[in-house]
């Protein structure tokens, strides 16, 4: 059964965990440089987690839920109850983008509201850093109460940082396991307000190879000639993943992905089983 996460998220690994979990070895801490929906954190049982992303709204959401669970739930439920129309959605979006007096807790609740009421759960910003996803026109947007409570409990083992992958990977140590799910080559390339181009993909692959000398590294990406060339020193596994947003979007559409595995403890921990 797919793990449910707080957010609707393009490229979420919730539905991929049966294929992915067999490639994640035991370790002292799971390090994720690209937080996404935190589906991998929620579906695993590591003693500790280091979860990072360059999107401050995403990291703030996770921190606020971890530290102020009940207050967050009350505030987010109130937003749902009082703002149901398209007009309400655009009012909330405007406040989110332009009201400097919003507290961090309020901003987190607004972010959840926008995610669950916006079109297909997209997280997109314009060049000014303004959230610009249109209204989704859902009859009854889902409030993820059980998911929030489960996340808050698991998050007590986690540290959330707003950092890019270079800074995050520099914090790895022996005993860690690194799982990397970046914006995919040719698919999910809009990474917060900047892009994630082929140069960034190459930088990431190079740094992961260096990190793999001390930690097991598992990385997901599109299955393309470019990504296969980047990970030519890795064990590669092909999988098919559902797509609900992006180039291959549509009901029943699937796209080819690779899982790349490398590291000093890979075979000892049964990654290839």
């Amino acid at each position: 059964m797919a793990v449910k996460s707080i957010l609707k998220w393009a490229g979420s690994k919730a539905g991929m965990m049966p294929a992915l979990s067999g490639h994640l070895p035991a370790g002292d801490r799971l390090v994720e440089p690209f937080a996404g929906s935190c589906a991998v954190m929620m579906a695993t049982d590591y003693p500790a987690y280091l979860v990072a992303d360059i999107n401050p709204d995403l990291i703030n959401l996770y921190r606020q839920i971890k530290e102020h669970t009940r207050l967050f739930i009350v505030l987010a439920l109130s937003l749902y109850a009082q703002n149901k129309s398209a007009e309400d959605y655009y009012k909330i979006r405007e406040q989110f983008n332009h009201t400097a007096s919003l507290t961090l807790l309020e901003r987190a609740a607004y972010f959840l509201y926008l995610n669950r009421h916006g079109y297909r759960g997209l997280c997109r910003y314009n060049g000014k850093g303004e959230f610009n996803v249109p209204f989704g026109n859902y009859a009854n947007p889902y409030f993820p109460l059980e998911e929030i409570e489960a996340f808050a409990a698991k998050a007590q083992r986690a540290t959330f940082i707003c950092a890019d992958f270079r800074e995050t990977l520099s914090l790895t140590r022996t005993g860690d396991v690194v799982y990397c799910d970046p914006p995919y080559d040719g698919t999910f390339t809009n990474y917060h307000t900047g892009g994630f181009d082929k140069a960034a993909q190459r930088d990431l692959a190079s740094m992961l190879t260096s990190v793999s000398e001390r930690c097991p590294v598992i990385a997901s990406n599109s299955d393309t000639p470019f990504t296969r060339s980047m990970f030519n020193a890795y064990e590669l596994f092909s999988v098919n993943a559902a797509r609900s947003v992006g180039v291959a979007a549509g009901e029943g559409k699937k796209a080819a992905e690779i899982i790349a595995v490398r590291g000093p403890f890979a075979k000892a921990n049964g990654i290839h089983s």
Side-chain angles (χ1 to χ4, degrees), residues 144-155:
L145 177 60
E146 291 183 6
E147 292 83 354
I148 291 168
E149 291 174 336
F151 180 90
K154 177 67 74 69

Side-chain angles (χ1 to χ4, degrees), residues 8 80-81 83-86 113 116-118 120 135-143:
K8 297 169 68 175
Y80 268 64
N83 300 279
K84 297 180 179 295
S85 68
Y113 171 90
R116 285 285 176 175
H117 290 73
R120 299 185 91 161
F135 183 55
N137 199 30
Y138 301 113
N140 188 26
Y142 178 67
F143 186 79

Side-chain angles (χ1 to χ4, degrees), residues 153-236:
K154 177 67 74 69
Q156 301 312 308
R157 299 187 226 168
T159 299
F160 300 98
I161 62 171
C162 188
D164 77 355
F165 69 84
R166 298 169 185 84
E167 180 180 348
T168 306
L169 291 174
S170 73
L171 299 174
T172 56
R173 58 192 184 225
T174 301
D176 285 343
V177 174
V178 176
Y179 174 63
C180 207
D181 186 35
Y184 278 14
D185 176 48
T187 306
F188 304 120
T189 56
N190 290 329
Y191 187 36
H192 192 41
T193 54
F196 203 83
D197 58 14
K198 281 181 164 49
Q201 297 278 5
R202 291 189 195 96
D203 287 348
L204 174 61
S206 176
M207 195 164 186
L208 286 175
T209 299
S210 177
V211 168
S212 73
E213 297 302 315
R214 62 180 177 273
C215 304
V217 166
I218 303 90
S220 299
N221 214 308
S222 300
D223 190 349
T224 66
F226 174 75
T227 57
R228 283 184 172 268
S229 69
M230 283 196 311
F231 293 115
N232 62 358
Y234 290 63
E235 191 86 20
L236 298 180

Side-chain angles (χ1 to χ4, degrees), residues 3-156:
V3 177
K4 292 183 178 180
S5 54
I6 295 167
L7 299 171
K8 297 169 68 175
W9 202 257
S12 171
K13 287 295 168 285
M16 285 290 295
M17 288 311 302
L20 181 61
S21 60
H23 301 291
L24 295 170
D28 299 331
R29 181 177 67 164
L30 183 67
V31 177
E32 290 195 75
F34 302 90
S37 66
C38 278
V40 176
M41 185 186 92
M42 295 307 299
T44 55
D45 193 26
Y46 287 88
Y49 296 86
L50 176 61
V51 179
D53 203 275
I54 64 166
N55 184 336
D57 294 320
L58 187 63
I59 295 301
N60 179 58
L61 172 73
Y62 294 149
R63 286 174 173 168
Q64 296 303 317
I65 291 174
K66 174 184 177 179
E67 297 167 12
H68 307 291
T69 311
R70 291 299 156 197
L71 287 174
F72 174 85
I73 290 170
V74 169
L75 184 53
L77 277 170
S78 177
L79 283 173
Y80 268 64
Q82 297 174 22
N83 300 279
K84 297 180 179 295
S85 68
E87 182 181 359
D88 293 331
Y89 174 85
Y90 289 113
K91 176 194 69 178
I92 293 296
R93 195 181 75 172
E94 176 71 14
Q95 292 173 351
F96 182 77
N97 285 329
H98 299 295
T99 305
S101 61
L102 286 179
T103 66
L104 291 176
L105 184 63
E106 288 170 333
R107 191 165 182 85
Y110 277 41
F111 186 70
L112 175 67
Y113 171 90
L114 292 170
N115 172 265
R116 285 285 176 175
H117 290 73
Y119 180 72
R120 299 185 91 161
L122 287 172
C123 184
R124 189 183 67 195
Y125 299 79
N126 63 23
K128 298 178 182 179
E130 299 168 339
F131 190 89
N132 67 350
V133 176
F135 183 55
N137 199 30
Y138 301 113
N140 188 26
Y142 178 67
F143 186 79
L145 177 60
E146 291 183 6
E147 292 83 354
I148 291 168
E149 291 174 336
F151 180 90
K154 177 67 74 69
Q156 301 312 308

